[in-house]
Amino acid sequence: LERDLMKGMAEVMLRQMMTGSNFKQKIQNSVFLNLPEWYRKGLSAYIAENWNTVNDNRLKNYLANNKKTSFSKLAAQDPEFAGQSFWNMVREKYGSDAIQNILYLTRVKHNMNSGFAYAINTTYNDLIADWKTYYSNRFKEDEENRTALQNAITLKLKKRNNTDIGDMVISADGNYLAYAVFDGGFYKI
């Protein structure tokens, strides 16, 4: 309920920002009505709820389980989710100020493509092409880091006299491990 309320408020604010406050501005700036559904719904969803691990996993599954993936196909299936992933990519690659600049310039120039070109110096088509590359590389890097971490943590410790091992610390250079053992009423390091 809270997410839906936030999303609705974000959509109203975006519509107000893009069309203006008086009738003349609303007529002049009717460009908002011509924006793609993924643009409007995705931005509203992104403002209402930042990108999170649930969304990340959902996109990862989409890219892994579909042979021919593209932003356009995802936008046709689920425009809100596609748009939310797009705006997350823009924020991560260009910073959160880029989104504000894109919105402002889209309104001023009356053109979505001009908003992207002037705000972040790239075209809409290039951004759409970068979307799949960006997320594919990100998920690949995440998987490689996870594999490397699993290999790095493997170690064997022999317990003597059934003592409990506590507080472990790895040295800064990664060559040594210090740990505390409670043995017979005394702590040993």
Side-chain angles (χ1 to χ4, degrees):
L1 179 66
E2 183 179 338
R3 180 184 183 277
D4 291 339
L5 184 61
M6 291 292 292
K7 192 169 66 170
M9 288 173 48
E11 181 122 14
V12 168
M13 287 175 45
L14 285 170
R15 186 173 300 275
Q16 182 73 18
M17 185 188 90
M18 295 302 275
T19 59
S21 57
N22 63 38
F23 185 72
K24 181 181 175 185
Q25 287 177 335
K26 287 183 188 299
I27 298 299
Q28 252 180 345
N29 296 319
S30 62
V31 68
F32 186 72
L33 300 175
N34 297 326
L35 293 174
E37 189 177 15
W38 67 261
Y39 188 105
R40 290 180 285 116
K41 286 188 173 185
L43 187 55
S44 297
Y46 182 75
I47 291 170
E49 178 184 38
N50 284 335
W51 195 253
N52 56 38
T53 55
V54 172
N55 292 336
D56 217 36
N57 288 334
R58 184 175 167 201
L59 184 58
K60 189 175 184 178
N61 287 337
Y62 169 78
L63 292 173
N65 296 329
N66 294 299
K67 292 185 189 260
K68 293 189 176 186
T69 57
S70 71
F71 179 80
S72 300
K73 287 183 181 180
L74 181 60
Q77 293 172 359
D78 189 351
E80 182 179 306
F81 181 65
Q84 191 175 12
S85 70
F86 177 85
W87 292 111
N88 179 63
M89 179 197 71
V90 169
R91 184 191 56 81
E92 288 187 3
K93 283 184 78 172
Y94 302 100
S96 56
D97 290 341
I99 295 174
Q100 296 169 7
N101 294 337
I102 290 166
L103 293 174
Y104 174 74
L105 290 166
T106 298
R107 178 181 176 202
V108 169
K109 298 291 183 182
H110 301 287
N111 185 309
M112 178 181 76
N113 295 332
S114 296
F116 290 120
Y118 288 109
I120 55 177
N121 201 27
T122 189
T123 66
Y124 164 72
N125 291 333
D126 289 343
L127 279 172
I128 295 304
D130 287 347
W131 176 85
K132 183 176 179 181
T133 306
Y134 171 78
Y135 281 110
S136 295
N137 290 342
R138 185 171 146 207
F139 295 142
K140 182 180 175 186
E141 183 180 320
D142 183 45
E143 202 58 43
E144 288 171 357
N145 288 343
R146 186 169 294 142
T147 303
L149 185 61
Q150 287 174 346
N151 294 338
I153 294 179
T154 305
L155 60 111
K156 291 183 180 180
L157 293 175
K158 292 182 181 178
K159 287 174 58 172
R160 290 184 269 177
N161 304 330
N162 285 332
T163 57
D164 291 328
I165 297 173
D167 300 331
M168 284 196 253
V169 179
I170 299 175
S171 66
D173 62 5
N175 291 328
Y176 300 98
L177 173 72
Y179 58 92
V181 176
F182 186 72
D183 186 19
F186 295 99
Y187 281 101
K188 296 180 182 177
I189 297 180

